[in-house]
Amino acid sequence: MTNPELPYRELFESNPHPMWVYDIGSLRFLAVNGAALRCYGWSREEFLGMTIADIRAPEERRALREAVAATPRGYNRSGVWRHRDKGGRAVLVEIASHTLPFEGHDARLVVAYDVTEREHLAAARAEAEAALRLSEERFRLVARATSDAIYDWDLRTDAIWWNDEARVLFGESIAPGDEPSGRRSGADWKARIHPDDRERVVNGIESVIRGSGNAWSDEYRYRRSDGTYAIVADRAFVLREEEGRPTRVVGGMTDLTEKRTLEAQFLRAQRMESIGTLAGGIAHDLNNTLAPILMSIDLMREHVTSPAGLELLAMIEQSTQRGAQLVREVLTFARGVEGDRIRIPTEEVARDLERIAADEFPPGVHLRLDMPAGLWPLLGDPAQLRQVLRNLCANACDAMSDGGEMSVVGSNVRLDAAAAALIPDATAGNYVRLSFRDTGAGMPPRVLDRVFEPFFTTKSVGRGTGLGLPIVQAIVRSHGGFIVARSTPGEGSVFDVHLPAFADGRDVEAPQRRPSGPGAAGGTVLLVDDEPNILAFASRLLERRGFKVISASTGDDAIAAAGKTAGRIVLVITDLLMPGTDGHAVIREVRRIAPEMPVIAMSGLDARDVVDRDPSKHAVPGSAPIHLMKPFTAAQLDAAVRRALV
């Protein structure tokens, strides 16, 4: 008959991590494994003539004796200890230990973990779990020393013993010492594996059990008692009788759910950042392409008088404006949004929702508002928040194609630091929560997980760009808020929008009036842009308004022209993003020559985005340039010129 302790003694001896047993009273070593001999350099005979103080750094020996004296009986896990090997080399380890009787001694079993190789921690724990099975009782005591779920599966009876940590990980509420209810058999373990993983996992471990191998590992989803699934890494070792017949499987399951969730969030953030960078670059080029088209339409209207021709120009303008709006939406997602932050009463939000429902809700979809008295006012940009309301309402209406009810419930929320740490994008503070709930079909988890990804949509071709919800998230984030989406198939969806509350007495910056600059219509304008078509059309528009135009296609040419004609120039209009010497350098040089020179800055990106790329762009002397976003119409150019020359 096989000695039942033999497998555990063999595991103790063959474990790759140093293990030893020492007498608590004398601190003398009673047993060491081969890994300890290899790690520390002393022979087994030398070890057995030493105490555990002999492997500590001299300055820590007093602290060691005090720690041993103060350590309660049972399981203990210490911090980092500095050991030394026979040659004096420092070895940093963490110690896991448990008291147990050993050959008549009041002893403690120790496992030493090398903390310099933390990336191998999972494998180290799995190996340590296998090594700590010196006997049935010792195995159960040592199993309490780990945060993993440790199990012992008797293949002859199909019964599984689990440690207490397994009950914690998987939500079992059982008195210590009881067998875990509902997890007493291998059949139940198999039933809790996610259906999509079950065949692979079961076939894998059964193949090892039927074969001649001993080690098995896999990663899969395991159902908790509340019905949710944990992502676990499972490692096991098959114990066999001398003739090779498998008798037991001992192993450990590590909960990787939080780790995998963080990895997924990190990868999603990387993907979103990459998409944002790409979208910003494309948007800049598209705006430069659309700008000449819009300006040419205004010029062509002066020559086209037929109704058919004017109708055609209107169609071209409408299509171009739609393209420009799409580009603005892409930029809103890619770069976020800024704006004036003012106090917004929640009553105004309610009125906006009622107007949206009256003007845009399809027949059969109804709005229910629950905005109780006492709601804090919001701090935000009214136009941007209206876009949030409109996009969320449109999303809800699309989800209720057969009709239904959309409810919006307002509430005040105070988040402390601990609560905010559990929510992505959240920080501690006071928020007004607007919960948008629809009675639509709801979303499965695979769709819910991607609702804020740009260009992702479940709608048919032509019914959506997939930018509505990403723009909502971008605006909410730019306001210092956050949004949480929840949905259950068949029960509708909820979007909880949290926006910062306006604090009484908060110093909110009002838009500042730009100082007026010199000059008047009929003066000379320095126009700078590296796009030939924009330069040509903008020059023609300015000339038709009575200005003389000096055109420059590079920053260096513009600076040279400014130096020669500084006394005649009344206005500078320059692109910001140009190869070589950019618009910011042009503005700085012009302002050096004429400090009060009015400037209009053009860009295919928002001016704030250009500055974000290089914070030094803030260092432009004089009054702030007026920003003109490409593409722009002749009327928008005229308005910017009038503002600059007031």
Side-chain angles (χ1 to χ4, degrees):
M1 185 65 179
T2 303
N3 183 346
E5 292 191 2
L6 182 59
Y8 305 111
R9 291 186 177 275
E10 291 176 350
L11 287 172
F12 173 84
E13 178 59 33
S14 63
N15 188 268
H17 296 281
M19 297 181 66
W20 56 80
V21 179
Y22 72 91
D23 183 89
I24 294 177
S26 66
L27 305 186
R28 185 170 58 84
F29 285 101
L30 302 177
V32 294
N33 70 349
L37 306 182
R38 292 188 296 272
C39 178
Y40 291 89
W42 284 289
S43 68
R44 195 180 305 273
E45 291 74 17
E46 288 173 324
F47 254 118
L48 297 181
M50 297 163 52
T51 71
I52 59 174
D54 294 326
I55 65 171
R56 307 283 177 158
E59 63 271 21
E60 294 182 353
R61 290 175 182 173
R62 180 176 179 180
L64 166 67
R65 296 181 182 277
E66 293 174 351
V68 171
T71 300
R73 302 190 64 80
Y75 164 69
N76 179 59
R77 192 175 184 95
S78 74
V80 177
W81 286 91
R82 186 161 59 119
H83 287 184
R84 65 180 184 89
D85 65 9
K86 188 174 182 178
R89 181 180 62 90
V91 181
L92 295 178
V93 296
E94 281 185 350
I95 298 297
S97 64
H98 205 293
T99 52
L100 78 167
F102 183 84
E103 298 179 351
H105 293 269
D106 186 14
R108 186 175 288 273
L109 170 68
V110 173
V111 183
Y113 296 92
D114 185 351
V115 299
T116 61
E117 299 182 0
R118 289 188 182 274
E119 67 272 20
H120 302 305
L121 184 59
R125 283 189 303 204
E127 294 164 354
E129 292 158 9
L132 293 174
R133 302 182 184 98
L134 300 179
S135 67
E136 185 68 25
E137 181 61 24
R138 293 176 185 177
F139 167 70
R140 297 195 181 198
L141 290 173
V142 175
R144 297 177 185 174
T146 178
S147 60
D148 289 354
I150 304 299
Y151 59 87
D152 185 348
W153 180 11
D154 191 329
L155 298 176
R156 293 164 295 192
T157 64
D158 200 37
I160 297 182
W161 174 90
W162 298 83
N163 68 341
D164 291 339
E165 190 61 30
R167 303 168 183 178
V168 175
L169 287 177
F170 304 121
E172 294 289 344
S173 178
I174 306 168
D178 292 346
E179 288 297 326
S181 175
R183 288 192 286 119
R184 297 181 179 177
S185 69
D188 182 74
W189 166 73
K190 296 173 185 177
R192 285 176 176 256
I193 299 173
H194 193 283
D196 294 342
D197 301 336
R198 188 176 301 143
E199 182 177 0
R200 183 194 79 248
V201 174
V202 173
N203 288 344
I205 193 168
E206 288 184 348
S207 176
V208 174
I209 292 173
R210 290 193 303 267
S212 58
N214 292 324
W216 169 84
S217 64
D218 205 340
E219 184 175 315
Y220 56 90
R221 289 163 289 180
Y222 189 77
R223 190 177 74 250
R224 302 185 181 98
S225 294
D226 62 2
T228 62
Y229 282 91
I231 301 174
V232 299
D234 196 344
R235 295 91 52 205
F237 189 82
V238 180
L239 301 179
R240 302 178 184 274
E241 294 181 341
E242 289 183 356
E243 60 272 21
R245 186 178 68 175
T247 57
R248 299 165 71 184
V249 177
V250 291
M253 297 164 66
T254 300
D255 189 348
L256 301 179
T257 308
E258 182 178 359
K259 178 182 178 182
R260 293 290 180 260
T261 300
L262 292 175
E263 288 174 350
Q265 291 175 351
F266 176 71
L267 292 174
R268 185 181 298 111
Q270 282 188 319
R271 184 168 65 252
M272 298 283 275
E273 182 179 358
S274 299
I275 293 175
T277 302
L278 175 64
I282 293 174
H284 173 263
D285 292 340
L286 281 175
N287 279 335
N288 277 335
T289 302
L290 294 172
I293 300 176
L294 277 180
M295 287 187 287
S296 67
I297 292 172
D298 292 295
L299 291 172
M300 292 175 66
R301 283 199 175 100
E302 299 178 5
H303 303 284
V304 177
T305 57
S306 67
L310 292 173
E311 182 181 1
L312 182 60
L313 286 178
M315 292 171 60
I316 295 173
E317 183 178 33
Q318 183 181 24
S319 295
T320 307
Q321 292 284 19
R322 286 179 61 189
Q325 176 60 31
L326 180 59
V327 172
R328 283 192 291 271
E329 290 180 354
V330 170
L331 283 175
T332 298
F333 153 72
R335 303 301 183 197
V337 288
E338 296 294 338
D340 299 323
R341 302 292 188 257
I342 64 174
R343 182 183 187 276
I344 304 175
T346 49
E347 294 85 354
E348 184 175 325
V349 175
R351 286 193 296 270
D352 284 337
L353 285 167
E354 289 171 343
R355 281 193 291 267
I356 292 171
D359 296 340
E360 302 178 18
F361 275 24
V365 177
H366 306 285
L367 173 68
R368 182 176 67 84
L369 283 177
D370 183 4
M371 306 288 276
L375 286 179
W376 297 320
L378 301 172
L379 178 66
D381 183 287
Q384 293 172 9
L385 292 185
R386 277 193 290 272
Q387 186 175 5
V388 168
L389 302 180
R390 184 170 287 106
N391 285 7
L392 287 172
C393 288
N395 187 73
C397 290
D398 288 339
M400 298 183 290
S401 56
D402 296 329
E405 180 182 84
M406 176 181 176
S407 62
V408 182
V409 180
S411 57
N412 296 330
V413 175
R414 298 183 188 272
L415 279 185
D416 58 22
L422 302 176
I423 307 172
D425 301 325
T427 56
N430 295 336
Y431 297 88
V432 176
R433 178 171 58 204
L434 300 176
S435 296
F436 294 76
R437 180 185 297 273
D438 64 63
T439 57
M443 296 177 284
R446 59 181 178 80
V447 174
L448 180 63
D449 188 53
R450 301 183 62 189
V451 291
F452 295 115
E453 285 190 16
F455 311 115
F456 172 76
T457 179
T458 58
K459 301 172 186 176
S460 58
V461 177
R463 291 195 58 199
T465 62
L467 286 173
L469 290 177
I471 287 173
V472 167
Q473 186 180 61
I475 293 175
V476 171
R477 283 177 172 174
S478 74
H479 278 69
F482 60 95
I483 182 170
V484 178
R486 297 174 283 129
S487 187
T488 302
E491 298 181 12
S493 303
V494 181
F495 290 86
D496 292 322
V497 178
H498 297 74
L499 293 164
F502 178 88
D504 291 339
R506 180 180 294 181
D507 185 14
V508 181
E509 294 185 3
Q512 296 182 355
R513 184 178 180 85
R514 298 179 184 274
S516 41
T524 300
V525 175
L526 176 59
L527 179 64
V528 191
D529 201 301
D530 62 320
E531 291 287 336
N533 290 336
I534 294 178
L535 203 61
F537 282 109
S539 295
R540 187 172 301 180
L541 288 172
L542 290 168
E543 288 168 353
R544 287 176 178 270
R545 302 306 187 262
F547 292 98
K548 182 179 178 181
V549 178
I550 299 175
S551 298
S553 59
T554 69
D556 291 334
D557 290 345
I559 292 173
K564 294 177 182 178
T565 60
R568 292 187 285 121
I569 296 175
V570 299
L571 174 65
V572 174
I573 304 176
T574 180
D575 188 21
L576 290 178
L577 293 179
M578 296 185 294
T581 303
D582 64 10
H584 296 279
V586 171
I587 297 172
R588 282 195 295 270
E589 184 61 24
V590 168
R591 289 278 175 77
R592 186 185 66 80
I593 300 170
E596 298 303 320
M597 178 67 69
V599 174
I600 298 175
M602 302 181 294
S603 176
L605 297 176
D606 189 284
R608 288 170 294 268
D609 178 72
V610 178
V611 172
D612 286 343
R613 292 184 174 193
D614 184 358
S616 67
K617 306 304 185 186
H618 282 294
V620 176
S623 60
I626 295 173
H627 184 251
L628 186 59
M629 180 75 175
K630 298 177 182 178
F632 49 82
T633 63
Q636 289 169 329
L637 177 60
D638 287 343
V641 170
R642 284 195 300 271
R643 288 177 61 198
L645 297 178
V646 170

